[in-house]
Amino acid sequence: MDILTHFRSIEELTKTLSREQGLLSEMFEKRKLIKFPLGLAIDLVGGNETRLRKLVDYGVLVETGNTLEIESDYLNFFEEVLNVNEEISVLSVQECINTLKEHIGYFLQETNVNRKAGYQDNVRQLLKKTGFRTLKNVVDLKRNMDNAYKQEPNYIIKKKKLQNLDEKSHSIRVMIRECEKLMDNEHAFFIMANDPHMAKTCSDVKHDFVEAYHALMEIDRQIISYINQIDQQNQLYKKILST
């Protein structure tokens, strides 16, 4: 297996991405439409194949035959930052919860004061990340719901997309309940790790979950409304065809 070269500093990474922003912007805009031709990519870096080769060697781009695509980690990062991602990452929340359980266990078993404090800080950061990712999933869910209804022309696919998003909504609820249960049941940890920072984090996360619950209730209502409208439109369409 080939070993990729890697960026050695944030400065090197940001300079490279900035220099090749023309190519990356074009590839990102066309990511759903075409497999990006190698020849066009060379043109967009001023004919300098060395510059293009660096993006491939450093793992920013993936080369397949005569086409290129943005590597998945970079693509996911761009979509997350620009708030245009289409995937609802319930698994990312589950991973946070699993890691939370691990670090709470480490905290309870650790005897060294400094390492114990490190695990406590890890738990606090993971709690914050869980709340953030949950809200992010809800925002993505609402946007994808609206896009599915307004932009998908096929009635059958439109309805199926909405039904799948409804399942995602229920999955997000399951993750919220699991994290709430964890916070309620780990009495020993939260008594031992009780400080103003942890207390504020727990309060903020619980507020995030309440906000997510309210938004999910509205999303569920809207999905039902959209599906009913689709069924009515489909029946009308069939009636028109039969006349």
Side-chain angles (χ1 to χ4, degrees):
M1 184 179 73
D2 294 336
I3 299 176
L4 293 174
T5 307
H6 65 278
F7 294 103
R8 292 172 176 79
S9 66
I10 293 294
E11 181 182 13
E12 183 185 9
L13 169 62
T14 54
K15 280 185 176 180
T16 301
L17 297 182
S18 177
R19 184 182 62 195
E20 311 305 351
Q21 61 179 309
L23 169 62
L24 294 172
S25 295
E26 190 70 17
M27 290 184 68
F28 185 76
E29 290 297 324
K30 302 293 191 299
R31 68 193 185 282
K32 303 292 184 182
L33 303 176
I34 62 171
K35 291 187 175 181
F36 210 83
L38 183 61
L40 179 56
I42 293 174
D43 289 341
L44 289 171
V45 292
N48 190 329
E49 293 189 38
T50 301
R51 284 168 51 186
L52 185 63
R53 181 52 48 191
K54 180 175 182 178
L55 293 175
V56 174
D57 291 343
Y58 279 60
V60 179
L61 302 181
V62 177
E63 183 177 5
T64 306
N66 290 320
T67 63
L68 293 166
E69 60 183 341
I70 301 174
E71 197 276 331
S72 60
D73 285 344
Y74 285 93
L75 183 61
N76 292 338
F77 172 73
F78 295 151
E79 289 182 336
E80 285 286 332
V81 171
L82 296 173
N83 201 27
V84 294
N85 56 309
E86 296 181 358
E87 295 298 320
I88 313 300
S89 184
V90 177
L91 283 177
S92 68
V93 178
Q94 182 64 65
E95 288 171 359
C96 281
I97 294 173
N98 291 342
T99 310
L100 264 172
K101 293 176 181 177
E102 292 176 8
H103 284 266
I104 287 174
Y106 299 151
F107 173 90
L108 294 174
Q109 295 169 7
E110 182 58 66
T111 57
N112 179 276
V113 174
N114 291 332
R115 289 196 293 269
K116 201 175 189 72
Y119 289 128
Q120 178 174 332
D121 190 57
N122 289 343
V123 169
R124 189 171 58 82
Q125 294 297 332
L126 284 163
L127 282 170
K128 291 172 64 175
K129 185 182 292 186
T130 303
F132 171 79
R133 287 187 174 178
T134 299
L135 287 178
K136 182 70 169 56
N137 277 339
V138 173
V139 170
D140 292 340
L141 181 66
K142 183 180 186 310
R143 184 183 62 256
N144 290 347
M145 172 192 68
D146 290 334
N147 288 344
Y149 180 75
K150 296 173 183 177
Q151 298 180 15
E152 174 56 57
N154 185 296
Y155 282 115
I156 296 174
I157 295 176
K158 187 196 296 276
K159 184 174 181 178
K160 186 60 179 175
K161 283 184 176 181
L162 289 169
Q163 289 172 335
N164 288 338
L165 290 171
D166 187 50
E167 292 178 6
K168 293 284 189 181
S169 175
H170 291 297
S171 296
I172 293 172
R173 278 192 178 83
V174 171
M175 294 298 100
I176 292 175
R177 286 195 291 269
E178 185 174 345
C179 191
E180 288 178 327
K181 184 178 178 180
L182 174 69
M183 294 171 71
D184 289 339
N185 290 347
E186 290 291 347
H187 300 297
F189 170 79
F190 285 104
I191 290 173
M192 296 172 68
N194 186 24
D195 63 35
H197 297 297
M198 183 65 75
K200 184 179 187 307
T201 297
C202 291
S203 176
D204 289 344
V205 171
K206 289 178 180 178
H207 180 270
D208 289 343
F209 288 161
V210 171
E211 186 176 342
Y213 269 130
H214 289 163
L216 288 169
M217 289 174 60
E218 177 58 25
I219 288 171
D220 289 348
R221 186 198 65 76
Q222 189 63 65
I223 287 177
I224 292 172
S225 175
Y226 279 158
I227 289 176
N228 289 338
Q229 291 178 54
I230 290 169
D231 289 338
Q232 292 171 7
Q233 292 166 1
N234 198 26
Q235 290 173 8
L236 178 61
Y237 177 71
K238 289 179 179 178
K239 185 175 181 180
I240 292 173
L241 287 180
S242 65
T243 57

